[in-house]
Every structure is written in C-alpha cells, then in structure tokens.
Amino acid sequence: MYKYDEYDHAMVAARVAEFSDQVKRRLAGEITEDQFKPLRLMNGLYLQLHAYMLRVAVPYGTLDGRQMRMLAHIARKYDRDYGHFTTRQNIQYNWIKLEDAPAILEDLASVEMHAIQTSGNCIRNISSDQWAGAAADEITDPRPWAELLRQWSSFHPEFSYLPRKFKIAVIAADEDRAAMRLHDIGIQIVEKDGRHGAAFYVGGGMGRTPMIAPLIKDFVPLDDMLSYAEACLRVYNRYGRRDNIYKARIKILIHELGAEEYRRQVEEEFAHVKSLGIDPPKAEFDRIAAQFASPPLDASASDAIDRSDPDFAVWVDQNVAAHKVPGHAIVNISLKPVGSIPGDASSAQIDLMADLAEKYSHDELRVTHAQNIVLPHVRKADLHVIWQELDAAGLATPNLDLISDIIACPGLDYCSLANARSIPVAQKIATRFSDLGRQKELGELKLKISGCINACGHHHAGHIGILGVDRKGTENYQLSLGGSGAEDVSLGTITGPGFDEDGIVDAVERVTDKYLAERADGERFVDTYRRIGMAPFKEAIYG
Amino acid sequence: MVERADNQSPPQAEGWHTNGEEPAVTLDAFLSQSNATAVRLEPDEDARALIPHLDRLALIEVAFPKFRDGRGYSSARILREAGYAGELRAQGDVLVDQIAYMKRCGFDSFAPEKDLNPADVEAALARWPEHYQGAADGAVPIWKLRHG
Ligand code: HEM
Ligand code: SF4
C-alpha cells in the first residue's frame, strides 16, 4: 500500500490548516455561504436535508486496518455510529456538524486520509478495481498508475474550477469491475510490444444524459500519461459548456464535438503540453509501484477448503473469488443483509473488518463500487474462521452479485436533490427476494436504484435499474432493463410508465419471472434480455 | 463596472501589483489596432490569438466575471507557456481562496472587485509548502524534489 512520505504529509496538513481557516471565517460570517460552498465541497462537505454530510476519500478504494478503524472512530465520535460506503469507493457520514469538520479532517490526516476533492468541480478521488493486486486476470496492478494520477490531480491549479466534476477510473484487467467506461476518463492499462500503457476512454458518465466513453487513444506510454491527461482536461476546461449545469460534463462536449474532433484537439494540445516537462521520471513510478508490491503470500499454502459446514459452503461459492496466488482467495464482504441500508456499516462492524484485515489479509481492505468491502489477500485455510466472525457480526450474507446485492443512493431519506426514496425500495425488493435459493436461481443480477436523475445509484448501468421521479408531487419509480457497468457496458432502456413503491417491487418480480421462463442454458438475466429484447418483458409487466 | 487595482488598499503580499497604466482594450480592438500595449481577455476568448503579439504587450488582464468560471486559469498558463513575460492580471470575482492557484497558473497581479483582507491574502499565498505538479510559476514539483 502507498505510504505517505514527508511531502504527502505536508500537503495534507496544509489542506487541513487551510480548511480550518475557511471554516473559521465562515462561522465568523466573513465569507458568505455562496463563497464557502465551493471550498467546503472541495473538502468533501455537503449541506444535506438534515445536516452536513462529509465524504472521505479512499483513494482507489484501498485502505489498511488502522485507517478502517479511524473510519469507525469518526462514525462513533462525530456521527451516529455508522457510515455509508459509496459507489465511488468512498465513505460518507450523514450527520456532521460544521464546527467538527476541522477536527475530523485532523483525525483523518493522522492516518494518511483526507476528504480532498471528493466533491466540487475538480478532479475527484480516483477509483479502481477493488481486486487490484489480487485478481487472477489483471495484467498488472493498476494502483501505481492511479496514485500517479492522484498526486498530479491533487490541488491542480488549472483544473480546480472545471465546468463540472471530473471522475477518473483506472483498471488493468479485461473484466471491468470499476465501471471504467462510465467515467469522465476511464483508463485501462494494456500491453503493447511488451510494455504497459494507458488506453484512454473519455467522455463517459451517468446523470441525466448517460454516455459510454469512446476510446480516444489506444495506447499512451507511461511517460506520457500525465501530459495526455493534462491535454484532455485542458481542452475540456477551455471548451466545456458553462452555460447550463446539465450540459457541463465532458461527455456533452465530446458528444457535441464528436470523438474525432475532440481527439484532434487533444492531440494538438498534447504535442504542446509534452514539451513542458510535467511527466515524472520512471523512478517516481517505480518508487510508487514498490509500495504496492504484493504482500508475502505463501504459494504452497493449501488449496483445500473444508466445506462440511453447508452455510459456510454457500458463502464460499457466492462471496469468495479466485486469487492469483495458489492457496489464497479474495473475500467479498456483503454490506447488503436483507432489509438493511445498502452500503451502511456500524462502527462495530467497521472495527471488526479492520481486525480481520490485520489478522488475515495482510492488513488490507478495499471498498467496492457496489458498496461492499473486500479482504483481498486471504489464505483459504483461514476462510472458515473469517466467515464465523463475519457471520456473528451480520456480515456474512452470501449474496454477492445477486438480486439483493443492490446499489442504492441515499435518496430522499438524506439527499436534498432527491425525488424519491431509494432505501425503502431496496429494502422491499431484498425482502421480496429474501429466499436465497430463489436468488441463486436468478443468478447474477445487478439491480441499481437512484433517487433522482443524477444517477448516483448507477441505475443506467443496472441489469435492472430503478429511477425515482417526482410525478405530480408523489414518488414514482421508472424501471429500466439491460444496462451494465462491466466490460459488456450498456445503458438500460426504460420499460414504460412508472410505478408506485409497491408497484415497482411487483414489476421487478414480473421481469424476473419472465426471465426464468425464457432463459436459455447458461444465460444471465441480461443475456436473455439482449437476446429477446424488451417486448416480452413489457408484455409481462404491463400485460 | 470594473474597479481598478489602484482604487483599493493594496495588500502587502508578494505579487501584488497596483501600478497605474493605460486601460486594457478588448481582444478584438487589440487585434485590429497595432499600438495598444494592454489587452483584456474574456473567458470565452482564445488566449492563443495573442501569441503572435506577446512581445509588444505590457499587460494582459484576464477577466473572471464569476469565480466559478475557471477558463482564465488555462488562458494564463497558455500565455506563460508561450513565453509571455509581461504583467498578467486576474481581474473580477477574484477571491482570497483562488489566488494561490492563480499565482501557480502565472498571474502576478490581482484586481479583485471586492477588497481582500491583506492578512488572509498573505496566509493563502504562504499556505502550500510544495506542489505536486508543475505549472507556470516555476515551482519544482514534488516528484522532482524526490528524485533530485
Ligand atoms: C447525498 C448527497 C449527494 C448529492 C447531493 C449528490 C449529487 C450528485 C449530482 C448532482 C450528480 C450528477 C452530476 C452530473 O450529472 O453532472 C451526482 C452523480 C453521481 N453521484 Fe452523487 N450525490 C450524492 C450522494 C452520492 C452517493 C452516496 C454516491 C455513491 C453511492 C454518489 C455517487 C455518484 C455517482 C457515481 C454519480 C454519477 C456520476 C456521473 O454522472 O458520471 N453520490 N451526484
Ligand atoms: S441520485 Fe439523486 S437522490 Fe440519489 S444521492 Fe444522487 S442526487 Fe441524491
């Protein structure tokens, strides 16, 4: 894992001091809320329905036990004893007092964490594959690349007042576990002539105009990556629309220019930017990469798993994934027990996960964009005791990627922009499908819910997506089918008229029944949908 | 109406220029008249249009009608990257919390519409010990400090 050196420490300390000063000036009335807003946003502080919300960055979703424990401490001391893990691999606290914010940021800084650039119209926290460094299918660990980008984008003087927020994801496997092409810039590390480089996909995003990022450059060598990113951003900063907040994302610029013309402008800018010497030498990449070296894993560890406990075996089959080193496994901890709030974890649960990471996973945890937690480096021989401890804490729900592993945004229960509640819908659907046999029968089924068109809950990318809308003052839900945020990326299509809260649960059930009736051998829900199209599902829903 | 820098109490911070000078003309006017030495660039105007004329310019004033509009940061860098060595002024909705970044992008003079507290300006400009990335202020980026 990346460890701060004196420079990183000094930068975060400076930011904490700066923000403490800004909070002080705000509390003293020296700056207006309008002037304070972009400053607090760049420090992760939103004003929500009931209180301030603080979003803490977890760069590329990686953290160690000490950091995880600090997240529990903050939940306990400054919030209501829980935190909410988000689709951007961060954690949010919903009940923060403005005057506590500087102290929280100081606590975070003591464990090399911060809330820098987790909101605002700047380059946000960089996300990545939650199985980085452990996945059997990656060509390299994407995180050193992400860390280079993190440092380059932190306090970037030219790109802190962009037309709109800017999100970057980096992966290094063909299987896309980070919704890479639904980011403003999605980078896939690829190999060419024995060298690694970055494929740049630019202009993806969700929100009210979802778009899949087109490939802008198939191979950018490591020593050009930051110049290329700088060129991409400069063209956007200069020409992205600023007249309409809903058209300000880079996806709209690229859509209006066309990918070809955007690429031409970027290439021209890149030819100039490359002469400025902003790319660090290979030695800097190597310094970073050394810190992401694989932990010492014993490849001769036993591959055997004692499956005599049937509940344990069910969990292993559903939530444990292949590790690149024999005798090891990746444990996925579901934060989606039936009836709970997706992504929420209590302080006690966060502490327990920190303990397990220290004891069994070489002190590493990951946050996933599906709002779950990962222990990336576990010996197969330890799986059973881990499962027992998780089970005792309500963290062993064996539903990874099943219909109850729902992504849901905070919705009207917390969010000032919401049209409808997301959490109760998630709870009702999970309850309707609570029978595990039924869920397993349905197989991989990604259900995602957003409480408004901003799409924080990734509904466009759901095999089944649900969008809360306001219909003449009552909460109404639109259903869409066929989206995907994975390597088979696609955007969902709306089925037709919306439903009320109970109606949407029934509609989901009619859709899944139709799938079971129609599916061919080995087809996932989304495969069947792609083969037979919308009409049969529409018929099943609206009759 | 734009307030000029010389109408306000000058903060005593480094990089704060408040000298009087001939008024800046618009980009269009500048490009069509050859004797002006000061030009004003609006956010939607292309800084690169000035590149052939940089050696006869003493002042480029970059307008920030709204602090949220960050196009002027790119304009400033582009001008400095092209070798412009004259005065580069940020004018308009320029707030204390923006000037450190503005300075990194190459601005060396500030004409805020609303007075800034000099102590705050000084604190803001002294805030950052180092910088992660290279920009237009000549600061040595952290990666270079790390690798000598
Ligand atoms: C509760 C406070 C929140 C507010 C006010 C908020 C606000 C927004 C807004 C305005 C957008 C649309 C941006 C655009 O289309 O340009 C957006 C998109 C998004 N938000 Fe949130 N959000 C909140 C919480 C969350 C949470 C909890 C998550 C993670 C679970 C999240 C993740 C995202 C994602 C992934 C997008 C889509 C990004 C894209 O458009 O490409 N947000 N949010
Ligand atoms: S999707 Fe809408 S309701 Fe949900 S968190 Fe985002 S802004 Fe709020």
Side-chain angles (χ1 to χ4, degrees):
Chain A
M1 264 188 63
Y2 186 72
K3 289 267 172 271
Y4 280 14
D5 67 1
E6 57 191 298
Y7 296 109
D8 300 305
H9 276 295
M11 293 302 282
V12 173
R15 181 54 162 246
V16 173
E18 178 187 53
F19 189 56
S20 304
D21 177 54
Q22 290 161 345
V23 170
K24 209 169 64 209
R25 285 189 280 132
R26 174 69 192 120
L27 290 172
E30 288 170 30
I31 46 178
T32 65
E33 170 56 22
D34 190 49
Q35 292 167 343
F36 182 57
K37 187 175 169 191
L39 307 175
R40 64 169 165 75
L41 287 180
M42 277 186 218
N43 287 282
L45 205 58
Y46 278 83
L47 189 55
Q48 282 308 303
L49 281 181
H50 314 290
Y52 279 98
M53 174 199 95
L54 180 71
R55 186 181 287 162
V56 175
V58 182
Y60 28 86
T62 294
L63 70 179
D64 64 20
R66 186 177 65 127
Q67 294 173 324
M68 189 74 163
R69 213 168 269 115
M70 180 56 82
L71 298 182
H73 166 78
I74 289 167
R76 204 174 276 125
K77 180 161 177 196
Y78 304 103
D79 203 292
R80 299 191 177 170
D81 214 26
Y82 66 91
H84 178 73
F85 290 96
T86 79
T87 48
R88 300 221 65 256
Q89 300 178 293
N90 293 328
I91 184 169
Q92 281 178 191
Y93 296 101
N94 287 314
W95 304 97
I96 295 299
K97 291 195 207 62
L98 178 57
E99 48 277 28
D100 285 339
I104 298 173
L105 296 183
E106 238 167 86
D107 285 353
L108 287 169
S110 73
V111 296
E112 304 183 2
M113 293 187 85
H114 57 73
I116 296 164
Q117 291 174 207
T118 55
S119 53
N121 294 335
C122 53
I123 303 171
R124 303 286 189 89
N125 183 41
I126 299 191
S127 57
S128 187
D129 184 343
Q130 69 269 15
W131 294 351
D137 64 343
E138 72 182 11
I139 65 163
T140 185
D141 190 330
R143 292 172 300 166
W145 302 71
E147 173 61 21
L148 263 189
L149 287 158
R150 181 191 75 82
Q151 296 191 21
W152 160 78
S153 62
S154 293
F155 320 118
H156 197 297
E158 186 178 341
F159 304 138
S160 291
Y161 296 91
L162 293 167
R164 202 74 180 87
K165 58 176 153 181
F166 205 91
K167 304 180 179 183
I168 302 179
V170 187
I171 65 172
D174 283 335
E175 202 173 290
D176 179 2
R177 291 174 284 263
M180 180 270 287
R181 289 183 68 190
L182 295 169
H183 285 73
D184 297 282
I185 293 183
I187 290 176
Q188 181 176 358
I189 308 305
V190 292
E191 195 170 315
K192 192 167 147 188
D193 306 328
R195 282 195 316 159
H196 290 155
F200 269 67
Y201 295 84
V202 189
M206 297 195 237
R208 69 185 60 211
T209 324
M211 289 191 192
I212 296 169
L215 180 65
I216 294 297
K217 182 87 174 172
D218 63 348
F219 192 88
V220 178
L222 171 61
D223 41 345
D224 290 344
M225 181 175 69
L226 297 186
S227 284
Y228 203 82
E230 186 118 340
C232 289
L233 265 297
R234 180 174 283 179
V235 171
Y236 170 54
N237 191 44
R238 300 186 74 206
Y239 300 112
R241 286 182 61 172
R242 292 176 187 264
D243 59 327
N244 179 340
I245 184 178
Y246 301 119
K247 301 199 164 156
R249 297 285 295 269
I250 193 173
K251 62 191 173 190
I252 304 292
L253 173 70
I254 293 176
H255 182 72
E256 288 178 355
L257 285 179
E260 204 51 54
E261 172 59 15
Y262 175 73
R263 178 183 303 115
R264 189 192 66 72
Q265 295 189 16
V266 169
E267 290 288 331
E268 200 172 291
E269 193 66 51
F270 170 71
H272 161 69
V273 169
K274 187 58 199 172
S275 70
L276 303 175
I278 65 165
D279 288 290
K282 179 74 168 29
E284 175 63 358
F285 179 82
D286 292 343
R287 181 190 75 87
I288 293 170
Q291 303 186 51
F292 289 101
S294 179
L297 302 174
D298 175 9
S300 66
S302 166
D303 258 323
I305 298 174
D306 176 357
R307 300 172 56 93
S308 52
D309 180 336
D311 289 341
F312 169 63
V314 166
W315 176 79
V316 168
D317 291 340
Q318 200 62 46
N319 286 34
V320 175
H323 196 284
K324 64 180 168 191
V325 177
H328 291 77
I330 301 170
V331 165
N332 296 281
I333 302 173
S334 167
L335 299 183
K336 322 284 177 65
V338 169
S340 77
I341 297 177
D344 273 12
S346 69
S347 311
Q349 288 176 324
I350 297 173
D351 274 338
L352 173 79
M353 293 187 277
D355 289 344
L356 293 176
E358 284 169 350
K359 265 196 262 180
Y360 303 112
S361 183
H362 295 267
D363 202 16
E364 258 196 60
L365 303 118
R366 309 290 172 75
V367 182
T368 85
H369 89 271
Q371 304 180 282
N372 292 317
I373 301 292
V374 167
L375 300 175
H377 305 296
V378 165
R379 283 195 328 161
K380 287 185 177 168
D382 293 330
L383 284 172
H384 191 253
V385 324
I386 292 172
W387 173 76
Q388 285 176 313
E389 292 209 38
L390 289 173
D391 195 36
L395 290 169
T397 311
N399 63 347
L400 191 77
D401 293 340
L402 300 180
I403 192 171
S404 65
D405 184 9
I406 296 169
I407 292 181
C409 79
L412 197 54
D413 291 294
Y414 295 100
C415 179
S416 50
L417 305 177
N419 285 325
R421 288 167 302 160
S422 314
I423 293 167
V425 173
Q427 290 168 324
K428 281 192 176 170
I429 292 172
T431 305
R432 177 75 61 92
F433 289 89
S434 60
D435 179 69
L436 188 65
R438 188 172 177 204
Q439 290 190 48
K440 287 179 85 91
E441 175 66 17
L442 289 170
E444 182 189 299
L445 213 172
K446 301 196 178 178
L447 196 147
K448 310 188 185 199
I449 308 174
S450 305
C452 81
I453 194 67
N454 287 319
C456 303
H458 288 198
H459 67 277
H460 301 295
H463 294 168
I464 296 179
I466 295 174
L467 166 64
V469 292
D470 178 64
R471 199 163 159 274
K472 301 191 185 109
T474 59
E475 294 168 69
N476 193 264
Y477 297 90
Q478 279 180 355
L479 185 64
S480 62
L481 305 178
S484 171
E487 60 282 3
D488 61 348
V489 61
S490 59
L491 302 170
T493 306
I494 295 172
T495 56
F499 308 89
D500 67 12
E501 192 175 303
D502 290 317
I504 188 74
V505 183
D506 294 337
V508 167
E509 194 165 33
R510 279 185 226 120
V511 165
T512 56
D513 285 347
K514 187 69 188 165
Y515 156 64
L516 290 178
E518 296 285 339
R519 76 169 157 198
D521 248 11
E523 270 184 347
R524 302 170 302 162
F525 168 81
V526 70
D527 301 325
T528 302
Y529 169 80
R530 284 171 183 163
R531 178 172 56 81
I532 68 175
M534 178 64 90
F537 288 101
K538 241 182 160 148
E539 172 70 29
I541 299 166
Y542 301 103
Chain B
M1 195 50 216
V2 176
E3 264 182 62
R4 301 237 58 100
D6 26 309
N7 293 345
Q8 60 183 36
S9 51
Q12 298 309 304
E14 178 209 349
W16 206 271
H17 295 231
T18 56
N19 43 319
E21 72 285 307
E22 66 163 285
V25 303
T26 65
L27 179 65
D28 281 349
F30 175 81
L31 292 176
S32 59
Q33 84 185 68
S34 57
N35 54 353
T37 61
V39 64
R40 175 178 166 89
L41 201 60
E42 300 299 330
D44 61 349
E45 291 175 337
D46 183 5
R48 290 201 162 106
L50 291 172
I51 289 180
H53 315 287
L54 293 180
D55 50 358
R56 66 182 171 87
L57 276 165
L59 168 69
I60 301 174
E61 182 174 272
V62 177
F64 286 87
K66 280 190 253 142
F67 73 87
R68 282 196 192 82
D69 187 336
R71 286 177 282 189
Y73 294 85
S74 290
S75 300
R77 276 193 72 184
I78 285 167
L79 292 165
R80 289 301 189 207
E81 287 162 7
Y84 176 63
E87 182 174 344
L88 188 55
R89 175 185 298 165
Q91 187 284 329
D93 195 10
V94 172
L95 305 172
V96 68
D97 297 292
Q98 275 87 50
I99 60 175
Y101 286 168
M102 288 179 167
K103 198 153 169 270
R104 294 220 66 212
C105 289
F107 288 106
D108 56 1
S109 122
F110 305 93
E113 264 158 24
K114 285 195 210 84
D115 284 0
L116 305 182
N117 175 339
D120 291 342
V121 170
E122 206 161 345
L125 289 175
R127 179 76 68 202
W128 299 100
E130 310 291 351
H131 305 288
Y132 275 121
Q133 59 296 93
D137 58 347
V140 179
I142 287 173
W143 55 259
K144 205 170 248 172
L145 297 172
R146 282 179 176 137
H147 298 280

